[in-house]
Amino acid sequence: MLGGCWSKRELNELAIVTAFGVDKSDELVEISVQIVNPSQVASNKASSFQVPVFTHHAKGKSLFDAMRKLTTLTPRKPYYSHAQIIIIGEELAKEGMNSILDLLQRDPEGRSEFNIIIAHESTAQEILSILTPLEDIPASKLFKSLKDTEAAWGTTESVILDDLIQSLGNIDNSAVLPTIKIHGDVDAGKSSSNVEKIKSPAQLQYGGLAVFKNYKLIGFLSEEESRNYNFLHNNIKSTFETLACPEQGKISTEIIQSSTKVTGRFQHDIPSITIQLDIEQNVAEISCPLDLNKPETIDALNKATSKQIKESIERTLQTIQQTYQADILKFGEVLHREDYKAWNRIKKDWSTLYPELDVHLVVDVQTKGIGTATKLKLNKK
């Protein structure tokens, strides 16, 4: 005897969820889902405008309760396995995400490859209600923009569920998540006018990173601090640096490669960290009279870039260690791997040792390319 397809569910019986968000609403949990409008997305025929997605909202005492109550509003049963993005409201993140992550881990229907994002200065419901130009499905815009920003600028970091659970399970239960906010008129962003104008009234834009400790949101890193975190976390694929010329004007460089090596050591049970950051860059733009064909000019450029990046990263380290006191760079794990016996002797005092931990940073920058405009001469103003 064969079971056959006894548990089958046809596509026309499901509501495909591309993204969903969770907010705190008084003492309840509110879920918002973004569901594809299949007749609009799949059709190649010209027709009257219809929105490519619908959003539905439901409240409950728990996330599971809200998800079940959602079925009273949707014409089909929501199907979450194709969700690319999960957005957590700022207020809920401050309260704690234990129960949310617990459900996401346990659900056998869901997948762990979706990216988790924090809604900054707005709710997850508002983020999911904004229509986006170019990309019919807003969740696709959120996903692609996250990946592009991470690759081209380095101020965000894509974090999937498994990565987040692993980070929150480290020594001091700390982690980071990317943030997104709305620029412009939220109400206009919910209507078709947001995709019918040259300049959209409302736009979704990624910011810096949100810092978590013990499953709770404790603060935010600015875009500069988030990029510095990615330098330290060996997660910079490409970015840029702008420096002042010796007299007047600016130089912009494109960082094409970055490699970070973090090592730890103990001396009489006193821990310390050494970070070696090796960077390669190209000259992208110059607005001052410098002769880039001279080796001494390139050497000076390397030193200036190294100094600027080092000073910026050191300020970020101070914020991470002393302001947030969250070991998001996993220095504790580095020390544990270096000497687990010494680590076991000091781990009970790690929360007090970490803010004052000695971190020695070395930044080495090498300029590899200066472009083809080597004969261009810029006059002083």
Side-chain angles (χ1 to χ4, degrees):
M1 296 179 63
L2 298 176
C5 299
W6 65 271
S7 61
K8 69 177 179 67
R9 284 179 291 176
E10 299 294 343
L11 190 61
N12 59 3
E13 298 173 351
L14 300 174
I16 305 299
V17 176
T18 58
F20 70 91
V22 189
D23 288 302
K24 179 184 177 183
S25 180
D26 297 325
E27 297 302 319
L28 301 176
V29 174
E30 182 175 14
I31 184 173
S32 304
V33 295
Q34 189 177 98
I35 296 175
V36 174
N37 178 1
S39 62
Q40 179 67 16
V41 174
S43 176
N44 292 322
K45 299 179 181 179
S47 60
S48 60
F49 179 82
Q50 294 184 38
V51 289
V53 293
F54 301 106
T55 58
H56 294 279
H57 319 283
K59 298 179 182 180
K61 295 179 180 179
S62 66
L63 177 58
F64 189 69
D65 182 21
M67 292 173 75
R68 287 303 175 94
K69 287 182 178 178
L70 197 64
T71 59
T72 64
L73 301 171
T74 57
R76 304 175 183 177
K77 184 179 180 181
Y79 184 65
Y80 296 90
S81 291
H82 286 282
Q84 295 177 296
I85 299 289
I86 292 181
I87 300 175
I88 308 294
E90 186 174 337
E91 291 302 314
L92 179 62
K94 290 178 180 177
E95 188 177 88
M97 301 196 301
N98 310 55
S99 59
I100 306 299
L101 297 179
D102 181 77
L103 174 61
L104 296 178
Q105 273 188 297
R106 293 178 187 278
D107 185 9
E109 187 177 87
R111 296 185 297 179
S112 59
E113 289 84 3
F114 48 73
N115 287 270
I116 303 178
I117 303 169
I118 300 300
H120 186 33
E121 298 177 354
S122 60
T123 63
Q125 177 181 336
E126 290 173 333
I127 296 290
L128 292 177
S129 299
I130 301 298
L131 293 176
T132 55
L134 289 182
E135 292 292 339
D136 289 337
I137 301 175
S140 296
K141 185 274 180 193
L142 292 173
F143 179 78
K144 293 178 181 178
S145 291
L146 176 63
K147 294 294 184 180
D148 290 344
T149 305
E150 182 180 25
W153 195 8
T155 57
T156 60
E157 181 180 35
S158 55
V159 181
I160 63 175
L161 178 62
D162 288 343
D163 293 338
L164 179 60
I165 296 298
Q166 183 177 359
S167 294
L168 290 173
N170 68 6
I171 293 164
D172 74 340
N173 309 117
S174 60
V176 297
L177 286 174
T179 64
I180 193 165
K181 63 193 308 183
I182 301 172
H183 285 281
D185 188 343
V186 177
D187 292 333
K190 299 176 182 179
S191 68
S192 60
S193 64
N194 204 50
V195 295
E196 294 174 343
K197 297 181 179 180
I198 294 178
K199 183 178 180 181
S200 301
Q203 296 180 335
L204 298 175
Q205 181 178 359
Y206 283 100
L209 297 171
V211 182
F212 284 79
K213 189 171 183 179
N214 296 323
Y215 292 88
K216 294 182 179 181
L217 173 64
I218 61 173
F220 297 93
L221 297 178
S222 67
E223 289 185 336
E224 179 184 357
E225 291 170 337
S226 299
R227 194 187 68 148
N228 291 335
Y229 162 84
N230 278 323
F231 267 125
L232 296 169
H233 200 228
N234 200 26
N235 192 40
I236 290 290
K237 300 175 179 64
S238 178
T239 185
F240 67 91
E241 197 73 23
T242 302
L243 303 98
C245 291
E247 297 181 7
Q248 190 176 21
K250 293 181 179 180
I251 303 174
S252 295
T253 66
E254 177 192 14
I255 293 175
I256 57 175
Q257 186 172 338
S258 175
S259 175
T260 307
K261 183 179 180 181
V262 182
T263 56
R265 67 188 296 262
F266 289 89
Q267 187 172 11
H268 305 299
D269 282 352
I270 298 177
S272 63
I273 292 289
T274 299
I275 302 174
Q276 175 69 45
L277 182 58
D278 296 313
I279 295 171
E280 293 182 3
Q281 67 178 7
N282 291 333
V283 176
E285 183 181 1
I286 182 170
S287 61
C288 54
L290 291 178
D291 188 352
L292 297 178
N293 290 310
K294 293 183 177 180
E296 56 267 28
T297 303
I298 298 300
D299 185 57
L301 177 60
N302 292 340
K303 291 179 179 178
T305 310
S306 299
K307 181 182 178 182
Q308 181 165 298
I309 292 176
K310 181 179 179 180
E311 290 176 351
S312 180
I313 290 178
E314 286 176 339
R315 291 192 297 269
T316 299
L317 278 170
Q318 186 175 11
T319 299
I320 293 172
Q321 286 184 251
Q322 298 181 6
T323 303
Y324 294 130
Q325 298 184 12
D327 187 12
I328 55 178
L329 293 166
K330 312 296 185 293
F331 289 157
E333 294 181 3
V334 173
L335 292 168
H336 178 264
R337 290 194 301 268
E338 178 67 25
D339 188 340
Y340 74 93
K341 291 182 179 178
W343 168 255
N344 287 334
R345 290 194 294 269
I346 64 108
K347 67 178 181 179
K348 64 181 182 299
D349 302 317
W350 180 239
S351 60
T352 56
L353 290 172
Y354 173 73
E356 303 300 327
L357 178 68
D358 181 30
V359 180
H360 180 57
L361 175 64
V362 179
V363 180
D364 179 63
V365 176
Q366 297 294 324
T367 301
K368 295 298 183 180
I370 60 174
T372 58
T374 57
K375 296 182 179 180
L376 178 65
K377 292 184 178 180
L378 299 172
N379 298 322
K380 296 181 181 180
K381 293 181 180 181

PDB file of all heavy atoms in Angstrom, residues 7 47 49 56 62 68 93 134 168-169 172 183 194 211 221 224 228 234 253 261 280 305 316 326 338 361:
ATOM      1  N   SER A   7      -0.969  14.437   1.787  1.00  0.00           N
ATOM      2  CA  SER A   7      -0.794  15.737   2.458  1.00  0.00           C
ATOM      3  C   SER A   7      -0.553  16.864   1.462  1.00  0.00           C
ATOM      4  O   SER A   7      -0.060  17.924   1.835  1.00  0.00           O
ATOM      5  CB  SER A   7       0.388  15.657   3.426  1.00  0.00           C
ATOM      6  OG  SER A   7       1.587  15.367   2.728  1.00  0.00           O
ATOM      7  N   SER A  47      -3.015  45.497 -18.021  1.00  0.00           N
ATOM      8  CA  SER A  47      -4.307  45.530 -17.343  1.00  0.00           C
ATOM      9  C   SER A  47      -4.317  46.716 -16.405  1.00  0.00           C
ATOM     10  O   SER A  47      -3.315  47.405 -16.224  1.00  0.00           O
ATOM     11  CB  SER A  47      -4.537  44.225 -16.558  1.00  0.00           C
ATOM     12  OG  SER A  47      -3.531  44.054 -15.589  1.00  0.00           O
ATOM     13  N   PHE A  49      -4.138  48.792 -13.069  1.00  0.00           N
ATOM     14  CA  PHE A  49      -3.140  48.592 -12.019  1.00  0.00           C
ATOM     15  C   PHE A  49      -3.737  47.868 -10.815  1.00  0.00           C
ATOM     16  O   PHE A  49      -4.796  48.209 -10.334  1.00  0.00           O
ATOM     17  CB  PHE A  49      -2.573  49.944 -11.576  1.00  0.00           C
ATOM     18  CG  PHE A  49      -1.561  49.815 -10.465  1.00  0.00           C
ATOM     19  CD1 PHE A  49      -0.244  49.496 -10.750  1.00  0.00           C
ATOM     20  CD2 PHE A  49      -1.954  49.985  -9.138  1.00  0.00           C
ATOM     21  CE1 PHE A  49       0.690  49.368  -9.738  1.00  0.00           C
ATOM     22  CE2 PHE A  49      -1.026  49.857  -8.119  1.00  0.00           C
ATOM     23  CZ  PHE A  49       0.297  49.547  -8.415  1.00  0.00           C
ATOM     24  N   HIS A  56      -1.647  41.672   5.441  1.00  0.00           N
ATOM     25  CA  HIS A  56      -2.686  41.362   6.407  1.00  0.00           C
ATOM     26  C   HIS A  56      -2.057  41.385   7.801  1.00  0.00           C
ATOM     27  O   HIS A  56      -0.854  41.102   7.966  1.00  0.00           O
ATOM     28  CB  HIS A  56      -3.295  39.982   6.143  1.00  0.00           C
ATOM     29  CG  HIS A  56      -4.040  39.901   4.847  1.00  0.00           C
ATOM     30  ND1 HIS A  56      -5.327  40.359   4.702  1.00  0.00           N
ATOM     31  CD2 HIS A  56      -3.677  39.414   3.626  1.00  0.00           C
ATOM     32  CE1 HIS A  56      -5.732  40.160   3.460  1.00  0.00           C
ATOM     33  NE2 HIS A  56      -4.739  39.590   2.791  1.00  0.00           N
ATOM     34  N   SER A  62       0.482  35.476  21.672  1.00  0.00           N
ATOM     35  CA  SER A  62       1.810  35.003  21.277  1.00  0.00           C
ATOM     36  C   SER A  62       1.886  35.058  19.763  1.00  0.00           C
ATOM     37  O   SER A  62       0.874  35.261  19.078  1.00  0.00           O
ATOM     38  CB  SER A  62       2.054  33.580  21.776  1.00  0.00           C
ATOM     39  OG  SER A  62       1.169  32.670  21.127  1.00  0.00           O
ATOM     40  N   ARG A  68      -2.228  31.974  13.765  1.00  0.00           N
ATOM     41  CA  ARG A  68      -3.457  31.213  13.561  1.00  0.00           C
ATOM     42  C   ARG A  68      -4.659  32.137  13.342  1.00  0.00           C
ATOM     43  O   ARG A  68      -5.533  31.862  12.515  1.00  0.00           O
ATOM     44  CB  ARG A  68      -3.703  30.285  14.750  1.00  0.00           C
ATOM     45  CG  ARG A  68      -2.754  29.092  14.787  1.00  0.00           C
ATOM     46  CD  ARG A  68      -2.849  28.282  13.505  1.00  0.00           C
ATOM     47  NE  ARG A  68      -1.897  27.199  13.427  1.00  0.00           N
ATOM     48  CZ  ARG A  68      -2.143  25.945  13.789  1.00  0.00           C
ATOM     49  NH1 ARG A  68      -3.320  25.623  14.278  1.00  0.00           N
ATOM     50  NH2 ARG A  68      -1.207  25.021  13.673  1.00  0.00           N
ATOM     51  N   ALA A  93      11.863  44.255  19.878  1.00  0.00           N
ATOM     52  CA  ALA A  93      13.266  43.871  19.994  1.00  0.00           C
ATOM     53  C   ALA A  93      13.853  44.319  21.331  1.00  0.00           C
ATOM     54  O   ALA A  93      14.676  43.615  21.927  1.00  0.00           O
ATOM     55  CB  ALA A  93      14.065  44.458  18.835  1.00  0.00           C
ATOM     56  N   LEU A 134      10.638  49.591  -9.356  1.00  0.00           N
ATOM     57  CA  LEU A 134      11.521  48.608 -10.006  1.00  0.00           C
ATOM     58  C   LEU A 134      11.191  47.177  -9.599  1.00  0.00           C
ATOM     59  O   LEU A 134      10.924  46.322 -10.434  1.00  0.00           O
ATOM     60  CB  LEU A 134      12.997  48.902  -9.727  1.00  0.00           C
ATOM     61  CG  LEU A 134      13.579  50.139 -10.419  1.00  0.00           C
ATOM     62  CD1 LEU A 134      15.064  50.291 -10.106  1.00  0.00           C
ATOM     63  CD2 LEU A 134      13.379  50.086 -11.917  1.00  0.00           C
ATOM     64  N   LEU A 168      23.860  34.466  19.389  1.00  0.00           N
ATOM     65  CA  LEU A 168      23.245  34.680  20.695  1.00  0.00           C
ATOM     66  C   LEU A 168      23.576  33.566  21.674  1.00  0.00           C
ATOM     67  O   LEU A 168      23.334  33.701  22.874  1.00  0.00           O
ATOM     68  CB  LEU A 168      21.729  34.820  20.542  1.00  0.00           C
ATOM     69  CG  LEU A 168      21.255  36.107  19.870  1.00  0.00           C
ATOM     70  CD1 LEU A 168      19.762  36.059  19.611  1.00  0.00           C
ATOM     71  CD2 LEU A 168      21.602  37.323  20.715  1.00  0.00           C
ATOM     72  N   GLY A 169      24.128  32.464  21.180  1.00  0.00           N
ATOM     73  CA  GLY A 169      24.530  31.374  22.053  1.00  0.00           C
ATOM     74  C   GLY A 169      25.984  31.443  22.458  1.00  0.00           C
ATOM     75  O   GLY A 169      26.506  30.505  23.073  1.00  0.00           O
ATOM     76  N   ASP A 172      28.673  35.779  25.807  1.00  0.00           N
ATOM     77  CA  ASP A 172      27.849  36.795  26.484  1.00  0.00           C
ATOM     78  C   ASP A 172      26.539  37.066  25.743  1.00  0.00           C
ATOM     79  O   ASP A 172      25.917  38.103  25.935  1.00  0.00           O
ATOM     80  CB  ASP A 172      28.630  38.090  26.692  1.00  0.00           C
ATOM     81  CG  ASP A 172      28.802  38.886  25.409  1.00  0.00           C
ATOM     82  OD1 ASP A 172      28.659  38.285  24.319  1.00  0.00           O
ATOM     83  OD2 ASP A 172      29.069  40.092  25.490  1.00  0.00           O
ATOM     84  N   HIS A 183      12.076  56.663   4.809  1.00  0.00           N
ATOM     85  CA  HIS A 183      12.307  58.077   4.549  1.00  0.00           C
ATOM     86  C   HIS A 183      11.136  58.611   3.733  1.00  0.00           C
ATOM     87  O   HIS A 183      10.837  58.094   2.657  1.00  0.00           O
ATOM     88  CB  HIS A 183      13.612  58.285   3.782  1.00  0.00           C
ATOM     89  CG  HIS A 183      14.836  58.114   4.614  1.00  0.00           C
ATOM     90  ND1 HIS A 183      15.312  59.074   5.480  1.00  0.00           N
ATOM     91  CD2 HIS A 183      15.686  57.067   4.733  1.00  0.00           C
ATOM     92  CE1 HIS A 183      16.405  58.647   6.079  1.00  0.00           C
ATOM     93  NE2 HIS A 183      16.646  57.420   5.651  1.00  0.00           N
ATOM     94  N   ASN A 194       3.265  55.792  -4.928  1.00  0.00           N
ATOM     95  CA  ASN A 194       4.672  55.653  -4.558  1.00  0.00           C
ATOM     96  C   ASN A 194       5.511  55.046  -5.679  1.00  0.00           C
ATOM     97  O   ASN A 194       6.732  55.209  -5.701  1.00  0.00           O
ATOM     98  CB  ASN A 194       4.793  54.792  -3.297  1.00  0.00           C
ATOM     99  CG  ASN A 194       6.077  55.051  -2.534  1.00  0.00           C
ATOM    100  OD1 ASN A 194       6.407  56.197  -2.251  1.00  0.00           O
ATOM    101  ND2 ASN A 194       6.819  53.996  -2.216  1.00  0.00           N
ATOM    102  N   VAL A 211      22.492  46.389  17.957  1.00  0.00           N
ATOM    103  CA  VAL A 211      23.291  45.577  18.876  1.00  0.00           C
ATOM    104  C   VAL A 211      22.364  44.877  19.863  1.00  0.00           C
ATOM    105  O   VAL A 211      21.508  45.518  20.482  1.00  0.00           O
ATOM    106  CB  VAL A 211      24.315  46.439  19.641  1.00  0.00           C
ATOM    107  CG1 VAL A 211      25.173  45.572  20.567  1.00  0.00           C
ATOM    108  CG2 VAL A 211      25.204  47.197  18.660  1.00  0.00           C
ATOM    109  N   LEU A 221      24.502  50.955  16.123  1.00  0.00           N
ATOM    110  CA  LEU A 221      25.751  51.472  15.595  1.00  0.00           C
ATOM    111  C   LEU A 221      25.433  52.361  14.396  1.00  0.00           C
ATOM    112  O   LEU A 221      24.573  52.025  13.582  1.00  0.00           O
ATOM    113  CB  LEU A 221      26.674  50.330  15.148  1.00  0.00           C
ATOM    114  CG  LEU A 221      27.154  49.350  16.225  1.00  0.00           C
ATOM    115  CD1 LEU A 221      28.014  48.258  15.588  1.00  0.00           C
ATOM    116  CD2 LEU A 221      27.924  50.052  17.326  1.00  0.00           C
ATOM    117  N   GLU A 224      28.975  54.593  10.012  1.00  0.00           N
ATOM    118  CA  GLU A 224      30.439  54.518  10.103  1.00  0.00           C
ATOM    119  C   GLU A 224      30.870  53.422  11.073  1.00  0.00           C
ATOM    120  O   GLU A 224      31.776  52.631  10.780  1.00  0.00           O
ATOM    121  CB  GLU A 224      31.012  55.861  10.549  1.00  0.00           C
ATOM    122  CG  GLU A 224      32.529  55.853  10.684  1.00  0.00           C
ATOM    123  CD  GLU A 224      33.096  57.155  11.218  1.00  0.00           C
ATOM    124  OE1 GLU A 224      32.304  58.102  11.444  1.00  0.00           O
ATOM    125  OE2 GLU A 224      34.321  57.233  11.415  1.00  0.00           O
ATOM    126  N   ASN A 228      32.948  49.903  10.351  1.00  0.00           N
ATOM    127  CA  ASN A 228      34.135  49.533  11.126  1.00  0.00           C
ATOM    128  C   ASN A 228      33.967  48.158  11.767  1.00  0.00           C
ATOM    129  O   ASN A 228      34.922  47.376  11.849  1.00  0.00           O
ATOM    130  CB  ASN A 228      34.412  50.586  12.197  1.00  0.00           C
ATOM    131  CG  ASN A 228      34.879  51.903  11.614  1.00  0.00           C
ATOM    132  OD1 ASN A 228      35.434  51.943  10.514  1.00  0.00           O
ATOM    133  ND2 ASN A 228      34.647  52.988  12.329  1.00  0.00           N
ATOM    134  N   ASN A 234      35.826  40.966   9.466  1.00  0.00           N
ATOM    135  CA  ASN A 234      36.300  40.402   8.200  1.00  0.00           C
ATOM    136  C   ASN A 234      35.148  40.201   7.208  1.00  0.00           C
ATOM    137  O   ASN A 234      35.049  39.191   6.532  1.00  0.00           O
ATOM    138  CB  ASN A 234      37.025  39.062   8.435  1.00  0.00           C
ATOM    139  CG  ASN A 234      37.935  38.692   7.275  1.00  0.00           C
ATOM    140  OD1 ASN A 234      38.408  39.554   6.543  1.00  0.00           O
ATOM    141  ND2 ASN A 234      38.164  37.401   7.090  1.00  0.00           N
ATOM    142  N   THR A 253      39.103  56.831  -2.443  1.00  0.00           N
ATOM    143  CA  THR A 253      39.703  55.551  -2.815  1.00  0.00           C
ATOM    144  C   THR A 253      38.671  54.441  -2.688  1.00  0.00           C
ATOM    145  O   THR A 253      37.776  54.501  -1.842  1.00  0.00           O
ATOM    146  CB  THR A 253      40.913  55.211  -1.927  1.00  0.00           C
ATOM    147  OG1 THR A 253      40.476  55.003  -0.583  1.00  0.00           O
ATOM    148  CG2 THR A 253      41.951  56.317  -1.963  1.00  0.00           C
ATOM    149  N   LYS A 261      42.763  39.513  10.671  1.00  0.00           N
ATOM    150  CA  LYS A 261      43.215  38.390  11.484  1.00  0.00           C
ATOM    151  C   LYS A 261      43.214  38.815  12.947  1.00  0.00           C
ATOM    152  O   LYS A 261      43.854  39.799  13.311  1.00  0.00           O
ATOM    153  CB  LYS A 261      44.612  37.931  11.067  1.00  0.00           C
ATOM    154  CG  LYS A 261      45.111  36.710  11.837  1.00  0.00           C
ATOM    155  CD  LYS A 261      46.496  36.276  11.371  1.00  0.00           C
ATOM    156  CE  LYS A 261      46.967  35.047  12.158  1.00  0.00           C
ATOM    157  NZ  LYS A 261      48.329  34.619  11.723  1.00  0.00           N
ATOM    158  N   GLU A 280      43.644  46.558   0.591  1.00  0.00           N
ATOM    159  CA  GLU A 280      44.102  46.972  -0.731  1.00  0.00           C
ATOM    160  C   GLU A 280      43.090  47.954  -1.302  1.00  0.00           C
ATOM    161  O   GLU A 280      41.875  47.761  -1.154  1.00  0.00           O
ATOM    162  CB  GLU A 280      44.253  45.766  -1.666  1.00  0.00           C
ATOM    163  CG  GLU A 280      45.361  44.811  -1.251  1.00  0.00           C
ATOM    164  CD  GLU A 280      45.516  43.655  -2.210  1.00  0.00           C
ATOM    165  OE1 GLU A 280      44.795  43.623  -3.235  1.00  0.00           O
ATOM    166  OE2 GLU A 280      46.362  42.784  -1.953  1.00  0.00           O
ATOM    167  N   THR A 305      45.595  56.828   4.633  1.00  0.00           N
ATOM    168  CA  THR A 305      44.428  55.945   4.691  1.00  0.00           C
ATOM    169  C   THR A 305      44.498  55.038   5.904  1.00  0.00           C
ATOM    170  O   THR A 305      43.498  54.841   6.607  1.00  0.00           O
ATOM    171  CB  THR A 305      44.332  55.095   3.410  1.00  0.00           C
ATOM    172  OG1 THR A 305      44.443  55.920   2.263  1.00  0.00           O
ATOM    173  CG2 THR A 305      42.999  54.360   3.364  1.00  0.00           C
ATOM    174  N   THR A 316      35.199  53.163  17.300  1.00  0.00           N
ATOM    175  CA  THR A 316      34.120  52.172  17.295  1.00  0.00           C
ATOM    176  C   THR A 316      34.352  51.102  18.356  1.00  0.00           C
ATOM    177  O   THR A 316      33.409  50.673  19.038  1.00  0.00           O
ATOM    178  CB  THR A 316      34.003  51.529  15.904  1.00  0.00           C
ATOM    179  OG1 THR A 316      33.699  52.538  14.939  1.00  0.00           O
ATOM    180  CG2 THR A 316      32.903  50.470  15.879  1.00  0.00           C
ATOM    181  N   ALA A 326      29.194  44.717  24.873  1.00  0.00           N
ATOM    182  CA  ALA A 326      28.708  43.499  24.216  1.00  0.00           C
ATOM    183  C   ALA A 326      29.830  42.934  23.352  1.00  0.00           C
ATOM    184  O   ALA A 326      30.385  43.646  22.503  1.00  0.00           O
ATOM    185  CB  ALA A 326      27.479  43.798  23.364  1.00  0.00           C
ATOM    186  N   GLU A 338      42.716  30.294  22.017  1.00  0.00           N
ATOM    187  CA  GLU A 338      44.144  30.517  22.217  1.00  0.00           C
ATOM    188  C   GLU A 338      44.681  29.723  23.405  1.00  0.00           C
ATOM    189  O   GLU A 338      45.726  29.084  23.318  1.00  0.00           O
ATOM    190  CB  GLU A 338      44.403  32.021  22.432  1.00  0.00           C
ATOM    191  CG  GLU A 338      45.843  32.388  22.707  1.00  0.00           C
ATOM    192  CD  GLU A 338      46.738  32.150  21.514  1.00  0.00           C
ATOM    193  OE1 GLU A 338      46.220  32.162  20.374  1.00  0.00           O
ATOM    194  OE2 GLU A 338      47.950  31.951  21.718  1.00  0.00           O
ATOM    195  N   LEU A 361      45.579  47.323  17.557  1.00  0.00           N
ATOM    196  CA  LEU A 361      45.114  47.329  16.166  1.00  0.00           C
ATOM    197  C   LEU A 361      46.239  47.772  15.232  1.00  0.00           C
ATOM    198  O   LEU A 361      46.865  48.814  15.447  1.00  0.00           O
ATOM    199  CB  LEU A 361      43.907  48.263  16.020  1.00  0.00           C
ATOM    200  CG  LEU A 361      43.351  48.484  14.613  1.00  0.00           C
ATOM    201  CD1 LEU A 361      42.800  47.187  14.042  1.00  0.00           C
ATOM    202  CD2 LEU A 361      42.268  49.569  14.633  1.00  0.00           C
TER     203      LEU A 361
END
